[in-house]
PDB file of all heavy atoms in Angstrom:
ATOM      1  N   LYS B 327     -27.729  -7.580 -37.498  1.00  0.00           N
ATOM      2  CA  LYS B 327     -26.790  -7.110 -38.448  1.00  0.00           C
ATOM      3  C   LYS B 327     -25.442  -7.510 -38.004  1.00  0.00           C
ATOM      4  O   LYS B 327     -24.810  -6.706 -37.255  1.00  0.00           O
ATOM      5  CB  LYS B 327     -26.961  -5.617 -38.850  1.00  0.00           C
ATOM      6  CG  LYS B 327     -26.334  -5.316 -40.100  1.00  0.00           C
ATOM      7  CD  LYS B 327     -26.429  -3.825 -40.464  1.00  0.00           C
ATOM      8  CE  LYS B 327     -25.780  -3.754 -41.882  1.00  0.00           C
ATOM      9  NZ  LYS B 327     -25.365  -2.573 -42.229  1.00  0.00           N
ATOM     10  N   GLN B 328     -24.944  -8.581 -38.440  1.00  0.00           N
ATOM     11  CA  GLN B 328     -23.547  -9.069 -38.060  1.00  0.00           C
ATOM     12  C   GLN B 328     -23.071  -9.777 -39.258  1.00  0.00           C
ATOM     13  O   GLN B 328     -23.830 -10.388 -40.029  1.00  0.00           O
ATOM     14  CB  GLN B 328     -23.578  -9.873 -36.769  1.00  0.00           C
ATOM     15  CG  GLN B 328     -24.629 -11.125 -36.814  1.00  0.00           C
ATOM     16  CD  GLN B 328     -24.582 -11.813 -35.582  1.00  0.00           C
ATOM     17  OE1 GLN B 328     -23.956 -11.499 -34.658  1.00  0.00           O
ATOM     18  NE2 GLN B 328     -25.127 -13.003 -35.726  1.00  0.00           N
ATOM     19  N   THR B 329     -21.778  -9.766 -39.322  1.00  0.00           N
ATOM     20  CA  THR B 329     -21.090 -10.579 -40.517  1.00  0.00           C
ATOM     21  C   THR B 329     -20.916 -11.948 -39.909  1.00  0.00           C
ATOM     22  O   THR B 329     -21.186 -12.188 -38.835  1.00  0.00           O
ATOM     23  CB  THR B 329     -19.880  -9.847 -40.796  1.00  0.00           C
ATOM     24  OG1 THR B 329     -18.995  -9.996 -39.744  1.00  0.00           O
ATOM     25  CG2 THR B 329     -19.953  -8.421 -41.105  1.00  0.00           C
ATOM     26  N   ALA B 330     -20.599 -12.811 -40.896  1.00  0.00           N
ATOM     27  CA  ALA B 330     -20.306 -14.164 -40.546  1.00  0.00           C
ATOM     28  C   ALA B 330     -19.210 -14.289 -39.528  1.00  0.00           C
ATOM     29  O   ALA B 330     -19.252 -15.060 -38.583  1.00  0.00           O
ATOM     30  CB  ALA B 330     -19.957 -15.053 -41.787  1.00  0.00           C
ATOM     31  N   ASP B 331     -18.284 -13.441 -39.682  1.00  0.00           N
ATOM     32  CA  ASP B 331     -17.078 -13.402 -38.701  1.00  0.00           C
ATOM     33  C   ASP B 331     -17.511 -13.081 -37.325  1.00  0.00           C
ATOM     34  O   ASP B 331     -17.065 -13.728 -36.379  1.00  0.00           O
ATOM     35  CB  ASP B 331     -15.947 -12.492 -39.127  1.00  0.00           C
ATOM     36  CG  ASP B 331     -15.255 -13.024 -40.410  1.00  0.00           C
ATOM     37  OD1 ASP B 331     -15.231 -14.248 -40.555  1.00  0.00           O
ATOM     38  OD2 ASP B 331     -14.484 -12.189 -41.017  1.00  0.00           O
ATOM     39  N   ASP B 332     -18.428 -12.027 -37.230  1.00  0.00           N
ATOM     40  CA  ASP B 332     -18.944 -11.791 -35.847  1.00  0.00           C
ATOM     41  C   ASP B 332     -19.829 -12.812 -35.341  1.00  0.00           C
ATOM     42  O   ASP B 332     -19.631 -13.114 -34.111  1.00  0.00           O
ATOM     43  CB  ASP B 332     -19.965 -10.524 -36.054  1.00  0.00           C
ATOM     44  CG  ASP B 332     -19.314  -9.224 -36.431  1.00  0.00           C
ATOM     45  OD1 ASP B 332     -18.076  -9.123 -36.340  1.00  0.00           O
ATOM     46  OD2 ASP B 332     -19.953  -8.381 -36.947  1.00  0.00           O
ATOM     47  N   ALA B 333     -20.513 -13.544 -36.170  1.00  0.00           N
ATOM     48  CA  ALA B 333     -21.364 -14.666 -35.725  1.00  0.00           C
ATOM     49  C   ALA B 333     -20.416 -15.736 -35.173  1.00  0.00           C
ATOM     50  O   ALA B 333     -20.781 -16.441 -34.171  1.00  0.00           O
ATOM     51  CB  ALA B 333     -22.226 -15.176 -36.878  1.00  0.00           C
ATOM     52  N   ILE B 334     -19.372 -16.039 -35.892  1.00  0.00           N
ATOM     53  CA  ILE B 334     -18.399 -17.072 -35.450  1.00  0.00           C
ATOM     54  C   ILE B 334     -17.843 -16.663 -34.052  1.00  0.00           C
ATOM     55  O   ILE B 334     -17.699 -17.533 -33.205  1.00  0.00           O
ATOM     56  CB  ILE B 334     -17.276 -17.256 -36.517  1.00  0.00           C
ATOM     57  CG1 ILE B 334     -17.923 -17.899 -37.780  1.00  0.00           C
ATOM     58  CG2 ILE B 334     -16.251 -18.296 -35.961  1.00  0.00           C
ATOM     59  CD1 ILE B 334     -17.081 -18.020 -38.880  1.00  0.00           C
ATOM     60  N   LYS B 335     -17.404 -15.471 -33.953  1.00  0.00           N
ATOM     61  CA  LYS B 335     -16.796 -14.953 -32.739  1.00  0.00           C
ATOM     62  C   LYS B 335     -17.706 -15.018 -31.591  1.00  0.00           C
ATOM     63  O   LYS B 335     -17.465 -15.513 -30.528  1.00  0.00           O
ATOM     64  CB  LYS B 335     -16.319 -13.444 -32.928  1.00  0.00           C
ATOM     65  CG  LYS B 335     -14.926 -13.442 -33.244  1.00  0.00           C
ATOM     66  CD  LYS B 335     -14.412 -11.923 -33.218  1.00  0.00           C
ATOM     67  CE  LYS B 335     -13.167 -11.944 -34.080  1.00  0.00           C
ATOM     68  NZ  LYS B 335     -13.171 -10.710 -34.967  1.00  0.00           N
ATOM     69  N   ALA B 336     -18.974 -14.744 -31.900  1.00  0.00           N
ATOM     70  CA  ALA B 336     -20.046 -14.872 -30.748  1.00  0.00           C
ATOM     71  C   ALA B 336     -20.210 -16.292 -30.439  1.00  0.00           C
ATOM     72  O   ALA B 336     -20.432 -16.547 -29.237  1.00  0.00           O
ATOM     73  CB  ALA B 336     -21.309 -14.258 -31.318  1.00  0.00           C
ATOM     74  N   PHE B 337     -20.202 -17.150 -31.324  1.00  0.00           N
ATOM     75  CA  PHE B 337     -20.402 -18.586 -31.078  1.00  0.00           C
ATOM     76  C   PHE B 337     -19.239 -19.059 -30.198  1.00  0.00           C
ATOM     77  O   PHE B 337     -19.435 -19.948 -29.405  1.00  0.00           O
ATOM     78  CB  PHE B 337     -20.600 -19.233 -32.386  1.00  0.00           C
ATOM     79  CG  PHE B 337     -20.906 -20.717 -32.333  1.00  0.00           C
ATOM     80  CD1 PHE B 337     -22.054 -21.288 -31.759  1.00  0.00           C
ATOM     81  CD2 PHE B 337     -20.000 -21.677 -32.708  1.00  0.00           C
ATOM     82  CE1 PHE B 337     -22.355 -22.557 -31.618  1.00  0.00           C
ATOM     83  CE2 PHE B 337     -20.189 -23.072 -32.659  1.00  0.00           C
ATOM     84  CZ  PHE B 337     -21.394 -23.502 -32.039  1.00  0.00           C
ATOM     85  N   THR B 338     -17.894 -18.762 -30.681  1.00  0.00           N
ATOM     86  CA  THR B 338     -16.897 -19.398 -30.104  1.00  0.00           C
ATOM     87  C   THR B 338     -16.280 -18.653 -28.900  1.00  0.00           C
ATOM     88  O   THR B 338     -15.347 -19.107 -28.131  1.00  0.00           O
ATOM     89  CB  THR B 338     -15.670 -19.470 -31.124  1.00  0.00           C
ATOM     90  OG1 THR B 338     -15.199 -18.120 -31.432  1.00  0.00           O
ATOM     91  CG2 THR B 338     -15.906 -20.231 -32.255  1.00  0.00           C
ATOM     92  N   GLY B 339     -16.831 -17.502 -28.625  1.00  0.00           N
ATOM     93  CA  GLY B 339     -16.449 -16.615 -27.467  1.00  0.00           C
ATOM     94  C   GLY B 339     -15.030 -16.092 -27.782  1.00  0.00           C
ATOM     95  O   GLY B 339     -14.327 -16.001 -26.817  1.00  0.00           O
ATOM     96  N   GLY B 340     -14.746 -15.939 -28.892  1.00  0.00           N
ATOM     97  CA  GLY B 340     -13.339 -15.328 -29.228  1.00  0.00           C
ATOM     98  C   GLY B 340     -12.240 -16.445 -29.596  1.00  0.00           C
ATOM     99  O   GLY B 340     -11.188 -16.155 -30.087  1.00  0.00           O
ATOM    100  N   ALA B 341     -12.585 -17.689 -29.161  1.00  0.00           N
ATOM    101  CA  ALA B 341     -11.637 -18.716 -29.434  1.00  0.00           C
ATOM    102  C   ALA B 341     -11.416 -18.981 -30.892  1.00  0.00           C
ATOM    103  O   ALA B 341     -12.406 -18.778 -31.716  1.00  0.00           O
ATOM    104  CB  ALA B 341     -12.000 -19.973 -28.749  1.00  0.00           C
ATOM    105  N   GLU B 342     -10.224 -19.467 -31.281  1.00  0.00           N
ATOM    106  CA  GLU B 342      -9.991 -19.785 -32.740  1.00  0.00           C
ATOM    107  C   GLU B 342     -10.615 -21.154 -33.107  1.00  0.00           C
ATOM    108  O   GLU B 342     -10.545 -22.084 -32.289  1.00  0.00           O
ATOM    109  CB  GLU B 342      -8.575 -19.718 -33.008  1.00  0.00           C
ATOM    110  CG  GLU B 342      -8.149 -19.597 -34.410  1.00  0.00           C
ATOM    111  CD  GLU B 342      -6.767 -20.001 -34.783  1.00  0.00           C
ATOM    112  OE1 GLU B 342      -5.947 -20.068 -33.783  1.00  0.00           O
ATOM    113  OE2 GLU B 342      -6.680 -20.400 -35.978  1.00  0.00           O
ATOM    114  N   ALA B 343     -11.288 -21.071 -34.284  1.00  0.00           N
ATOM    115  CA  ALA B 343     -11.857 -22.332 -34.756  1.00  0.00           C
ATOM    116  C   ALA B 343     -10.780 -22.996 -35.740  1.00  0.00           C
ATOM    117  O   ALA B 343     -10.365 -22.385 -36.718  1.00  0.00           O
ATOM    118  CB  ALA B 343     -13.152 -22.106 -35.446  1.00  0.00           C
ATOM    119  N   LYS B 344     -10.313 -24.121 -35.291  1.00  0.00           N
ATOM    120  CA  LYS B 344      -9.275 -24.759 -36.070  1.00  0.00           C
ATOM    121  C   LYS B 344      -9.987 -25.524 -37.305  1.00  0.00           C
ATOM    122  O   LYS B 344     -11.106 -25.931 -37.308  1.00  0.00           O
ATOM    123  CB  LYS B 344      -8.571 -25.856 -35.293  1.00  0.00           C
ATOM    124  CG  LYS B 344      -7.775 -25.266 -34.152  1.00  0.00           C
ATOM    125  CD  LYS B 344      -7.275 -26.254 -33.197  1.00  0.00           C
ATOM    126  CE  LYS B 344      -8.042 -26.100 -31.927  1.00  0.00           C
ATOM    127  NZ  LYS B 344      -7.470 -27.045 -30.836  1.00  0.00           N
ATOM    128  N   SER B 345      -9.123 -25.738 -38.297  1.00  0.00           N
ATOM    129  CA  SER B 345      -9.728 -26.596 -39.363  1.00  0.00           C
ATOM    130  C   SER B 345      -9.496 -28.035 -39.140  1.00  0.00           C
ATOM    131  O   SER B 345      -8.648 -28.501 -38.347  1.00  0.00           O
ATOM    132  CB  SER B 345      -9.188 -26.185 -40.712  1.00  0.00           C
ATOM    133  OG  SER B 345      -7.852 -26.386 -40.769  1.00  0.00           O
ATOM    134  N   GLY B 346     -10.353 -28.874 -39.695  1.00  0.00           N
ATOM    135  CA  GLY B 346     -10.230 -30.337 -39.459  1.00  0.00           C
ATOM    136  C   GLY B 346     -11.477 -30.687 -38.776  1.00  0.00           C
ATOM    137  O   GLY B 346     -12.319 -30.034 -38.337  1.00  0.00           O
ATOM    138  N   LYS B 347     -11.662 -32.126 -38.603  1.00  0.00           N
ATOM    139  CA  LYS B 347     -12.670 -32.725 -37.938  1.00  0.00           C
ATOM    140  C   LYS B 347     -14.130 -32.608 -38.618  1.00  0.00           C
ATOM    141  O   LYS B 347     -14.888 -33.585 -38.709  1.00  0.00           O
ATOM    142  CB  LYS B 347     -12.759 -32.437 -36.540  1.00  0.00           C
ATOM    143  CG  LYS B 347     -11.532 -32.896 -35.664  1.00  0.00           C
ATOM    144  CD  LYS B 347     -11.909 -33.366 -34.322  1.00  0.00           C
ATOM    145  CE  LYS B 347     -10.649 -33.835 -33.497  1.00  0.00           C
ATOM    146  NZ  LYS B 347     -10.896 -34.487 -32.402  1.00  0.00           N
ATOM    147  N   VAL B 348     -14.380 -31.348 -39.048  1.00  0.00           N
ATOM    148  CA  VAL B 348     -15.681 -31.039 -39.613  1.00  0.00           C
ATOM    149  C   VAL B 348     -15.555 -31.285 -41.091  1.00  0.00           C
ATOM    150  O   VAL B 348     -14.637 -30.834 -41.719  1.00  0.00           O
ATOM    151  CB  VAL B 348     -16.051 -29.660 -39.360  1.00  0.00           C
ATOM    152  CG1 VAL B 348     -17.457 -29.362 -39.962  1.00  0.00           C
ATOM    153  CG2 VAL B 348     -16.039 -29.323 -37.855  1.00  0.00           C
TER     154      VAL B 348
END
Side-chain angles (χ1 to χ4, degrees):
Chain B
K327 200 178 183 202
Q328 53 177 14
T329 63
D331 286 341
D332 292 341
I334 294 173
K335 267 192 202 132
F337 182 68
T338 63
E342 198 201 333
K344 289 169 257 184
S345 63
K347 294 216 180 192
V348 183

